[in-house]
């Protein structure tokens, strides 16, 4: 197996740089990015300004040289057969003006060119009559002033590191008197050391101004970002503190909810234990005593005597029946190991056994496990709903429907209402739980109870209980 060390090292270096960047705070990141952008932008701007200033300075010198040639030197050029001519007398005047004078200290050389590149006049007499065509001469004959800075150039056009000096080379058109026809081109070599020094001073001043502007902008932006970063950090700490407080409150609320749920479950369990105990006590105490009393009353009563409604033995039998019903309703069967569906089926079956009626039932998508107190609550709902259907509707159309959708379990106990010609069994009896007791139980689990009554269509008891906080 081979490894590309350069590739691995480069990747490691980039990853290290990224991690270092991520550790920087906001103002440091801004300072780095702003410095790179501003320095790059200002470098481009400074270079452009320097080049523009240098170009403008050179253009200004070129225009000055062109005006000088047009005003003082062009009058020495004559024309013969359409070609420029400098007669000997004019040549001598030009020599006296440009050679060995104070002007010669600034003007390194002067030439007059014909259109074909022939040197008509030159301060360097060895060049006169030679034909040296160039594009600059052609541009000048087209009416354009051409100027350029040459760092190493002498009057003969030969570079020499020891004798050559920087010069400004200017080509300017010489016009025919009275019109703008170009008859010749004047070439002027002007000393450029002062020009270069002045250009350097201007460029240094420009760069100093650009640098100072860059530093000022960066300082102002840094102060702004530093203040904004401080505000952001303060807000971040505040939000962090608020988030921690909210998290603590949420944890506390969850703890309180768990405590409340446990207390609710314990209360429901204690309530059922109490009801079971009351039912057992009723069965073992008053029911047994009334059974003995009925037995004694039966012995004292004559076998042939007709008992009326107020007969003590008959009254005692009615009390015994109601106490047995109360005892049976209060005492729950063992539901601990039953599923919710099995427990509710048991409630319907016990009702069928006790009343001799028929209950239609439908169960759908019920969970396998729910909290035991909820199981007891729903058992009581079905028990009370069927008891009401039996008492008030004569058991007509008794139906139990139980379904769950993952978040809510819904129990509906309905009937078709009483028949006009059908007597209702035990209409005046009282039930040990009642609808208000069912409502209290269901609301303790966060559920709702609705009773829907439609004349001629019966009554429905609808109970909905959330499963989220009541799962096993």
């Amino acid at each position: 197996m081979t490894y590309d060390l350069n590739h691995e090292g480069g990747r490691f270096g980039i990853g290290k740089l990224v991690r270092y960047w991520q550790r920087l705070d906001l103002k440091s990141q801004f300072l780095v990015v702003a410095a790179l952008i501003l320095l790059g932008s200002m470098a481009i701007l400074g270079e452009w300004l320097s080049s523009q200033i240098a170009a403008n300075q050179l253009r200004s010198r070129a225009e000055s040289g062109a005006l000088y040639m047009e005003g003082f030197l062009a009058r020495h050029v004559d024309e013969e057969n359409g070609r420029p001519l400098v007669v000997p007398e004019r040549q001598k005047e030009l020599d006296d003006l440009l050679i060995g004078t104070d002007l010669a200290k600034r003007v390194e050389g002067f030439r007059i060119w014909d259109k074909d590149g022939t040197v008509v006049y030159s301060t360097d007499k060895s060049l006169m009559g030679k034909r040296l065509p160039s594009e600059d001469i052609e541009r000048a004959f087209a009416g354009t002033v051409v100027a350029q800075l040459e760092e190493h150039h002498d009057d003969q056009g030969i570079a020499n590191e020891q004798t050559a000096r920087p010069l400004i080379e200017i080509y300017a058109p010489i016009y025919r008197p009275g019109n703008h026809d170009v008859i010749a081109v004047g070439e002027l070599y002007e000393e450029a050391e002062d020009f270069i020094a002045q250009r350097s001073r201007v460029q240094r001043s420009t760069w100093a101004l650009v640098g100072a502007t860059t530093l000022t902008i960066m300082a102002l932006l840094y102060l702004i970002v530093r203040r904004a970063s401080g505000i952001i950090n303060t807000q971040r700490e505040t939000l962090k503190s608020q988030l921690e407080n909210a998290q603590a409150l949420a944890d506390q609320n969850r703890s309180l909810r768990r405590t409340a749920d446990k207390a609710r479950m314990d209360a429901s369990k204690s309530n059922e234990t109490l009801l079971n105990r009351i039912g057992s006590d009723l069965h073992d105490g008053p029911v047994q005593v009334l059974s003995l009393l009925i037995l004694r009353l039966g012995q004292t009563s004559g076998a042939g005597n007709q008992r009326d409604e107020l007969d003590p033995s008959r009254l005692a039998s009615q009390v015994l029946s109601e106490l047995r019903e109360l005892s049976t309703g209060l005492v729950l069967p063992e539901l601990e190991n039953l599923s919710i569906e099995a427990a509710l089926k048991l409630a319907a079956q016990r009702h069928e056994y006790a009343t001799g009626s028929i209950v239609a039932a439908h169960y759908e998508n019920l969970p396998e496990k729910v909290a035991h107190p909820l199981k007891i609550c729903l058992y009581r709902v079905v028990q009370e709903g069927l008891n009401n259907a039996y008492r008030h509707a004569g058991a007509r159309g008794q139906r139990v429907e139980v379904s769950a959708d993952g978040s809510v379990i819904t129990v509906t106990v309905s009937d078709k209402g009483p028949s006009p010609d059908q007597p209702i069994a035990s209409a005046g009896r009282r039930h040990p739980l009642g609808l208000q007791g069912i409502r209290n139980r269901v609301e303790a689990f966060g559920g709702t109870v609705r009773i829907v009554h439609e004349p001629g269509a019966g009554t429905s008891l609808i109970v909905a209980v959330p499963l989220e906080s009541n799962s096993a």
Side-chain angles (χ1 to χ4, degrees):
M1 182 179 292
T2 60
Y3 294 93
D4 187 347
L5 297 180
N6 292 331
H7 177 70
E8 293 292 331
R11 184 171 60 183
F12 176 76
I14 293 175
K16 186 176 180 180
L17 184 62
V18 170
R19 289 192 296 273
Y20 175 75
W21 174 261
Q22 291 174 345
R23 287 197 299 268
L24 294 177
D25 56 10
L26 180 61
K27 60 179 180 291
S28 299
Q29 291 181 349
F30 169 80
L31 187 61
V32 172
V33 174
L36 292 175
I37 294 176
L38 281 177
L39 289 177
S41 301
M42 290 304 179
I44 295 173
L45 177 62
E47 184 65 28
W48 181 79
L49 286 176
S50 297
S51 63
Q52 291 297 311
I53 291 173
N56 288 333
Q57 287 180 317
L58 184 61
R59 188 180 303 110
S60 177
R61 294 292 288 269
E63 290 175 355
S64 298
L67 289 175
Y68 174 75
M69 284 187 283
E70 179 68 21
F72 295 97
L73 304 179
R75 62 187 181 86
H76 297 282
V77 180
D78 297 322
E79 187 177 10
E80 184 179 72
N81 299 323
R83 300 179 68 87
L85 175 67
V86 180
V87 298
E89 293 81 5
R90 298 293 188 183
Q91 291 184 15
K92 185 175 184 309
E93 292 177 0
L94 289 173
D95 291 342
D96 293 340
L97 180 64
L98 299 173
I99 299 175
T101 61
D102 292 338
L103 181 61
K105 296 179 181 180
R106 291 191 57 190
V107 177
E108 186 73 15
F110 177 70
R111 300 169 189 168
I112 297 177
W113 298 84
D114 195 356
K115 192 171 185 178
D116 60 359
T118 303
V119 179
V120 177
Y121 170 82
S122 175
T123 53
D124 182 2
K125 303 306 179 182
S126 64
L127 297 178
M128 291 182 61
K130 291 184 178 181
R131 188 170 179 272
L132 303 171
S134 70
E135 293 182 359
D136 293 334
I137 296 175
E138 293 177 359
R139 292 172 60 191
F141 266 100
T144 303
V145 177
V146 180
Q148 57 189 5
L149 177 65
E150 294 190 356
E151 297 288 347
H152 301 290
H153 188 80
D154 63 7
D155 195 42
Q156 285 78 25
I158 303 173
N160 189 324
E161 294 293 337
Q162 287 143 5
T163 61
R165 295 184 299 166
L167 300 174
I168 298 176
E169 184 180 18
I170 303 171
Y171 292 88
I174 298 175
Y175 299 99
R176 179 181 292 113
N179 57 40
H180 288 284
D181 294 335
V182 179
I183 60 173
V185 168
E187 179 187 7
L188 183 69
Y189 284 95
E190 186 177 349
E191 186 273 330
E193 291 179 352
D194 292 341
F195 170 80
I196 293 175
Q198 182 182 6
R199 185 186 66 176
S200 299
R201 286 195 300 271
V202 172
Q203 287 179 338
R204 285 195 296 270
S205 300
T206 301
W207 279 109
L209 179 61
V210 170
T213 303
T214 302
L215 291 177
T216 302
I217 294 174
M218 286 184 61
L220 291 175
L221 290 176
Y222 177 76
L223 292 176
I224 294 173
V225 172
R226 181 182 176 184
R227 181 174 179 274
S229 178
I231 295 174
I232 291 174
N233 289 333
T234 302
Q235 292 178 346
R236 181 183 298 166
E237 292 299 324
T238 302
L239 289 175
K240 183 178 179 181
S241 176
Q242 292 176 350
L243 181 61
E244 291 175 352
N245 293 335
Q247 186 65 39
L249 287 176
D251 294 340
Q252 184 178 3
N253 288 337
R254 282 193 292 269
S255 177
L256 290 175
R257 186 175 65 181
R258 286 193 295 268
T259 302
D261 291 341
K262 185 177 183 302
R264 184 189 65 204
M265 299 291 186
D266 292 343
S268 177
K269 189 178 296 184
S270 299
N271 186 43
E272 290 301 331
T273 302
L274 177 61
L275 291 177
N276 281 331
R277 184 179 301 170
I278 293 174
S280 298
D281 290 344
L282 285 174
H283 183 271
D284 297 338
V287 169
Q288 299 300 328
V289 174
L290 279 174
S291 297
L292 180 59
L293 176 61
I294 292 171
L295 181 61
R296 296 294 300 270
L297 288 175
Q299 292 175 354
T300 57
S301 300
N305 294 338
Q306 182 70 28
R307 293 185 296 177
D308 57 17
E309 294 292 333
L310 299 178
D311 181 69
S313 177
R314 185 179 183 85
L315 291 175
S317 296
Q318 291 179 355
V319 172
L320 178 61
S321 177
E322 291 196 8
L323 285 176
R324 281 177 176 169
E325 184 179 345
L326 284 171
S327 176
T328 301
L330 291 174
V331 177
L332 276 175
E334 182 57 43
L335 303 178
E336 186 74 28
N337 298 322
L338 297 180
S339 66
I340 181 63
E341 182 174 342
L344 299 183
K345 284 182 178 180
L346 181 59
Q349 291 169 359
R350 293 189 66 179
H351 178 77
E352 289 178 330
Y353 177 79
T355 61
S357 60
I358 297 175
V359 177
H362 177 71
Y363 308 94
E364 183 179 0
N365 298 329
L366 298 185
E368 288 295 326
K369 293 182 179 180
V370 296
H372 184 61
L374 176 61
K375 191 188 305 181
I376 295 174
C377 174
L378 297 181
Y379 180 93
R380 293 296 192 188
V381 168
V382 174
Q383 183 184 52
E384 178 63 21
L386 290 175
N387 284 335
N388 285 337
Y390 180 78
R391 290 161 52 205
H392 299 295
R396 291 183 69 245
Q398 294 178 125
R399 183 173 180 82
V400 176
E401 295 182 10
V402 187
S403 62
D405 61 1
S407 61
V408 176
I409 184 169
T410 304
V411 178
T412 302
V413 182
S414 60
D415 58 61
K416 293 185 177 180
S419 175
D421 57 351
Q422 180 180 357
I424 300 174
S426 303
R429 282 189 175 179
R430 301 176 61 187
H431 193 266
L433 295 176
L435 289 175
Q436 187 58 44
I438 293 299
R439 188 183 300 275
N440 293 338
R441 286 171 176 268
V442 171
E443 290 178 352
F445 288 90
T448 59
V449 177
R450 290 190 301 127
I451 299 175
V452 179
H453 177 70
E454 298 181 7
T459 302
S460 297
L461 171 65
I462 304 174
V463 172
V465 180
L467 288 173
E468 180 180 359
S469 59
N470 297 302
S471 299

